[in-house]
Amino acid sequence: MPNDPMLRNAGAYPLWTEERIRFGDTDRLGHVNNAVYGTYLETARVELMQRLLRGPETYFVLARMSIDYLAEMQELGPIRIGTAITGIGRSSFTTGQGVFQGEMCSATGDGVVVLVDAATRRSTPLPADVRAALEELSLKK
């Protein structure tokens, strides 16, 4: 789903995370290295997960991630990562994300995040309050 055209629309995201392109994020060609996009998406995903966690008895793990690269980012400075929920399962949810420099969407990604019971280390159902919070962060159409 990362190539969903809705993920290229900044107005579709209810949650935003600020980040900066650093000199070390760039490669020999002078643009942001493709591996760094995973870090940008992770920064925003972790911010979302921190909003949802309630205690040490459960935690979230990333089960899958994909990224579509749309345009080069070359200038150092501020970027924004939009995050929205694109699906909710029994014990997992799917994030849709976009990396924006100014108005340009340079990449989109999606990830499946699973809630895990710390004692059993197995997936566990999403509690009703977490499910409700996720629904409020759904992708705006």
Side-chain angles (χ1 to χ4, degrees), residues 20-34:
R20 294 194 64 76
I21 298 174
R22 294 165 293 277
F23 178 77
D25 295 347
T26 61
D27 62 17
R28 242 180 109 191
L29 301 174
H31 64 252
V32 173
N33 184 288
N34 62 347

Side-chain angles (χ1 to χ4, degrees), residues 37-66:
Y37 282 88
T39 301
Y40 296 154
L41 297 176
E42 176 187 52
T43 297
R45 223 178 18 260
V46 168
E47 185 173 315
L48 167 65
M49 289 186 248
Q50 287 176 329
R51 287 179 170 211
L52 299 172
L53 280 179
R54 298 187 330 238
E57 59 277 345
T58 59
Y59 57 89
F60 291 108
V61 297
L62 181 65
R64 189 182 76 71
M65 184 177 85
S66 63

